[in-house]
Amino acid sequence: MARSMRDIKRQIKSVQNTKQITKAMEMVAASKLRKAQEKAEAARPYSQKLKDVVSSIAAGTQGTQHPMLVSRPVKRTGYLIVTSDRGLAGGYNANILRKVTMLIAERHKSKDEYDLFVIGRKGRDFLRRREYPIVEEVTELSDTPKFADIKSIAYSAVQQFEDGTFDELYICYNRFVNAITQVPTVDRLLPMDPVAATPEHREVTASYEYEPSPEGVLEVLLPKYAETLIYSAILDGKASELGAKMTAMGSATKNASKMIGDLTLTYNRARQAAITQEITEIVAGANAQS
């Protein structure tokens, strides 16, 4: 009985140490989440306004043949997948990777039909183990990534679409809703829909003049717009990662508290049983001597 009680005390101590770690990780994630959420929300109006401008120019230049606006027969598809570098974030990585692998299995019969651009070590390692064709990767992003950190992979993905290496480009990420909810999302990035303007934009009837020409402005804006959408998705993904991590660590802390309570109850029962047994033995000994 003494050995069993010693084991229970050792287990309680171990769970208490784990609880301290998960509580600290929850607080760190919560402190970082606010800044990441602000950056993600601040990027949305800019990308939406840029989308309105591009839609306005494209709608006014009928017949434009810019490769980023022209749909062509799909022979090869590109996927840009946003994951995290570290785990302990609940289902953050598993959800988006499951969605992407199911989509690829449904749409493609051969690995020659698609290319993958991967951001985050978790996604890279998962896909590499299963021998998916990874063209380019980026890891070790900070919790507040800058555009310069992902510029190379964003430029490469957009440029390969323009060059005709593949005929569609999708971006796969977790869209941030709140700290509890992150939605695995797959959006078609290229080719763009030139009439996908917001309702507010469709009400605007003012005309604009562009120098040197609308086509020249589109030539510059379209690649930057695509790269901006990629960066905005990465900011969303980072906020989702921190939200998922905060939620997962919060749940782990609650589970640790419950486990400590159960173990403490078990320990007290074992201790009470040991004391009762000792009293019984003392009483039995005293009765034997009388």
Side-chain angles (χ1 to χ4, degrees), residues 16-34 84-90 122 143 179 238-254 256:
Q16 286 174 338
N17 292 338
T18 302
K19 179 183 175 181
Q20 290 178 346
I21 294 171
T22 56
K23 184 62 177 178
M25 293 180 70
E26 178 189 5
M27 295 175 67
V28 169
S31 65
K32 292 180 178 180
L33 174 61
R34 181 184 297 275
S84 68
D85 287 314
R86 297 172 181 83
L88 300 177
K122 286 294 182 179
D143 291 324
K238 184 57 69 174
S240 296
E241 176 191 345
L242 292 170
K245 185 171 292 187
M246 185 186 75
T247 302
M249 292 300 99
S251 297
T253 301
K254 290 179 182 178

Side-chain angles (χ1 to χ4, degrees), residues 80-151:
L80 197 155
I81 305 167
V82 182
T83 63
S84 68
D85 287 314
R86 297 172 181 83
L88 300 177
Y92 172 79
N93 292 303
N95 291 338
I96 189 62
L97 289 171
R98 185 185 306 113
K99 189 177 184 69
V100 170
T101 52
M102 289 177 61
L103 179 64
I104 290 175
E106 291 172 1
R107 299 188 58 187
H108 306 289
K109 298 179 180 179
S110 168
K111 294 180 180 179
D112 297 330
E113 296 179 357
Y114 60 92
D115 291 322
L116 303 183
F117 299 82
V118 184
I119 296 175
R121 183 183 292 110
K122 286 294 182 179
R124 181 200 64 184
D125 294 346
F126 175 90
L127 297 167
R128 182 180 288 173
R129 284 194 301 270
R130 289 157 180 79
E131 299 182 348
Y132 282 86
I134 298 176
V135 176
E136 195 167 336
E137 63 187 60
V138 170
T139 59
E140 298 299 334
L141 286 182
S142 70
D143 291 324
T144 54
K146 298 178 181 179
F147 179 71
D149 299 332
I150 56 92
K151 183 177 181 180

